[in-house]
Amino acid sequence: PEHAPLTRRFLARATLVTASLSVAAALLGLVRDQSLARLFGAGRDTDAFLVAWTVPEFAATLLIEDGLAFALVPAFSLALSRRAQGAPGDPVRSLVAGTLPRLALAFTAVGALLALAAPQCVAALAPGLPDPALAVDCTRITATCVLSFGLAGYCSAALRAHRRFLAPAAIYLPYNIGIITAMYALGGAWGVRSAAFGVAAGGCLMVAVQLPSLLGRLRRRRTDRADARAAAAAQPLDVPLLATVLLFALGRQSQVLIERFLASGLPAGAISHLNYAQKVAQIPMTLSTMLCTVTFPAVARALADGDTERARDRVERDLALAGCLVLLGTAAIVACAPQLIELLFQRGAFTARDTAVTAGVMRVYALGLLGQTLTGVLVRSYFSAGRASWYPVAAMAAGIVATSWIGAWTVGSRGTTGIAAANAAGITLTAALLLAGMRRRSVPIRTGPVLRELIRPLGAAVAAALAGGLAAGLPSDPLAGLAAGGTTVAVVFVLLGRALGAQGFAPALRSVRTLSRRLAHAVLR
């Protein structure tokens, strides 16, 4: 129940459900990317589609993963707190009535505008693209996901505030299934446009998966019309909060715009290499932030109840655990990049040269994974009180400036590797600024102890990556190299993590072990 005190058992079960479904979605996402590489390779057609894929990538960040959730989860948490305190009417139903129609209208208008302005968008995103007409067609198809992703993000935020995590965690499964099915069913006739159609269909499936659960939550308590109207009038849409969270999410996702803008002037396939490398490299970051997806409503509820101490302890534990998990994944990515890319993508139209370039880019991307994770954890704390905050927007803007400047400086000499390095440097700067401003502007965490706890697993990750890279390079077979490198990374990281006494190490190890057992049971039973 949404009003009961949170227990460790509940958090563990919710995290396990979220992580398990996220792992399944990530694996299906790899199948999706493998299918894209197999059917269309890493050339002009794929580059054109990936420019259009900027739309769903932005929509996912703005409307599902970050932006909209940062505004709506605290709003629903406050409404639930008021309901528990006996407020008149039903504050939750009133919040839906006061926000959902306006947001749906805004989503529809933005999607229609994007479809009309598709030629201008493609020209701005990738001015050096050799086939802009194909990218325009794909962009017009994917523009429909602004509405579907917006509705999916609204449902996800409301359900998570109600402590319902199964349906929100499952949405990327039907999404990826829709894309994969469309590519294989329509790829022969439509070419890469079939992938764009799959994105549009997958967005509708994301809403369909969550709608029954949300309707069940809203039907639980009915009120008379007068009380409902009074409560709705007392809970208007917080426009400044929505503006700040959307601007932050837009700034964070604009790193992709910068990358593709710079890469559009490189030889054909550069955008594809960046995309494949980023998709694989970000898996450890995605898994490490799963706990924060579960605990974000808990932090927001603690602040809504006025319990700052409970919110601070939760954020500090999240930082320690997420830092350990992502550093373990970073070490594995750096050590085994060539073997991973060869096993995942080198078939069909994806050549050995594509593997070498993508693996090099992925190793550089991995250097920014800790910054990506810390940014994801810390920004939730800034917005968990349900108030507008411009400091995260300024921190993200500083990171974007750094990414743009470093990328423009290095793209001529380093190509895609320079672009990836700019990404890592920019997001690391953003994370440092967010951490520095926490005490005065957000949940008052103890910055010094947090930094000391992050340094310990960082040293273990560096040693594990070096040892794992040596082990992975010994066998000639990529699968054997991946097994040798991954095992070495895990053993070295575990031994050094225990020796250094990292606070987040033990729970991180338990999380990985529990998730591995559940996945093995699901596969082998």
Side-chain angles (χ1 to χ4, degrees):
E2 57 265 19
H3 303 306
L6 281 175
T7 63
R8 288 187 177 182
R9 179 179 176 83
F10 175 82
L11 288 176
R13 292 178 62 185
T15 303
L16 181 60
V17 167
T18 303
S20 299
L21 289 172
S22 297
V23 168
L27 293 175
L28 200 57
L30 288 177
V31 174
R32 175 202 66 204
D33 292 340
Q34 286 175 327
S35 301
L36 184 67
R38 183 184 184 91
L39 294 172
F40 309 111
R44 297 173 60 174
D45 286 0
T46 311
D47 285 354
F49 167 69
L50 291 175
V51 170
W53 207 353
T54 304
V55 176
E57 286 179 328
F58 260 72
T61 299
L62 290 172
L63 305 176
I64 299 176
E65 298 164 7
D66 291 341
L68 197 63
F70 294 160
L72 289 177
V73 169
F76 275 103
S77 297
L78 181 59
L80 287 166
S81 180
R82 294 181 62 236
R83 174 196 277 177
Q85 296 168 5
D90 187 349
V92 176
R93 290 166 61 92
S94 300
L95 178 62
V96 173
T99 56
L100 182 56
R102 295 181 178 92
L103 288 173
L105 183 61
F107 299 149
T108 303
V110 172
L113 181 62
L114 187 59
L116 291 173
Q120 293 76 20
C121 291
V122 170
L125 291 173
L129 201 65
D131 188 6
L134 179 58
V136 169
D137 290 345
C138 293
T139 300
R140 283 178 169 148
I141 297 172
T142 58
T144 59
C145 74
V146 176
L147 175 60
S148 59
F149 279 32
L151 296 177
Y154 192 97
C155 293
S156 295
L159 288 172
R160 284 171 177 152
H162 281 84
R163 301 179 187 174
R164 294 297 182 270
F165 297 96
L166 179 61
I171 59 175
Y172 286 107
L173 292 173
Y175 172 66
N176 286 322
I177 290 172
I179 298 174
I180 295 168
T181 303
M183 284 194 293
Y184 280 104
L186 304 173
W190 292 8
V192 80
R193 293 178 181 86
S194 62
F197 178 80
V199 170
C204 297
L205 293 175
M206 294 166 82
V207 181
V209 166
Q210 299 181 95
L211 200 56
S213 181
L214 179 60
L215 292 177
R217 294 293 98 198
L218 296 179
R219 288 183 184 133
R220 291 188 64 195
R221 178 173 173 178
R222 298 186 178 276
T223 60
D224 62 77
R225 293 185 178 182
D227 281 349
R229 285 195 298 269
Q235 299 182 59
L237 187 66
D238 192 335
V239 176
L241 173 61
L242 191 61
T244 54
V245 297
L246 290 179
L247 282 174
F248 174 85
L250 184 65
R252 186 173 182 182
Q253 191 62 23
S254 65
Q255 284 189 309
V256 177
L257 292 183
I258 296 168
E259 292 175 9
R260 290 179 181 169
F261 180 86
L262 295 172
S264 66
L266 296 175
I271 295 177
S272 300
H273 295 145
L274 287 167
N275 172 75
Y276 294 131
Q278 190 179 64
K279 289 293 191 298
V280 179
Q282 286 188 344
I283 290 176
M285 181 270 294
T286 303
L287 296 179
S288 65
T289 55
M290 282 301 99
L291 174 66
C292 305
T293 302
V294 174
T295 58
F296 177 42
V299 174
R301 186 62 179 270
L303 293 176
D305 294 339
D307 194 344
T308 305
E309 187 76 14
R310 178 158 54 99
R312 184 192 69 183
D313 291 343
R314 181 69 264 169
V315 173
E316 290 181 352
R317 287 197 296 270
D318 288 351
L319 286 168
L321 177 55
C324 277
L325 286 172
V326 78
L327 286 170
L328 173 59
T330 300
I333 290 290
V334 172
C336 307
Q339 292 79 13
L340 271 171
I341 297 299
E342 182 175 351
L343 287 170
L344 291 174
F345 299 116
Q346 191 174 316
R347 57 184 61 85
F350 199 91
T351 66
R353 177 189 171 276
D354 294 324
T355 294
V357 175
T358 304
V361 172
M362 189 169 73
R363 278 176 162 159
V364 179
Y365 264 135
L367 301 179
L369 289 180
L370 179 61
Q372 294 274 11
T373 299
L374 294 181
T375 298
V377 177
L378 292 169
V379 75
R380 285 172 168 81
S381 303
Y382 278 94
F383 294 119
S384 56
R387 296 190 298 268
S389 177
W390 291 100
Y391 182 80
V393 179
M396 193 69 246
I400 291 300
V401 170
T403 299
S404 304
W405 184 80
I406 296 172
W409 179 49
T410 59
V411 67
S413 58
R414 300 294 180 182
T416 51
T417 304
I419 296 174
N423 179 299
I427 198 63
T428 301
L429 174 62
T430 298
L433 293 174
L434 289 175
L435 187 61
M438 280 289 289
R439 179 174 290 274
R440 297 186 301 275
R441 298 176 179 87
S442 181
V443 179
I445 66 169
R446 295 160 291 197
T447 307
V450 167
L451 284 175
R452 287 193 291 272
E453 287 301 328
L454 290 173
I455 289 173
R456 294 170 182 171
L458 179 60
V462 171
L466 293 174
L470 292 174
L474 294 178
S476 58
D477 180 69
L479 182 58
L482 178 60
T487 302
T488 303
V489 165
V491 170
V492 173
F493 189 82
V494 167
L495 293 177
L496 286 180
R498 284 182 171 172
L500 294 172
Q503 180 184 359
F505 179 78
L509 190 61
R510 286 197 299 270
S511 299
V512 172
R513 188 164 54 238
T514 301
L515 182 57
S516 300
R517 284 202 304 266
R518 291 297 181 93
L519 290 175
H521 176 69
V523 171
L524 298 176
R525 67 179 178 179

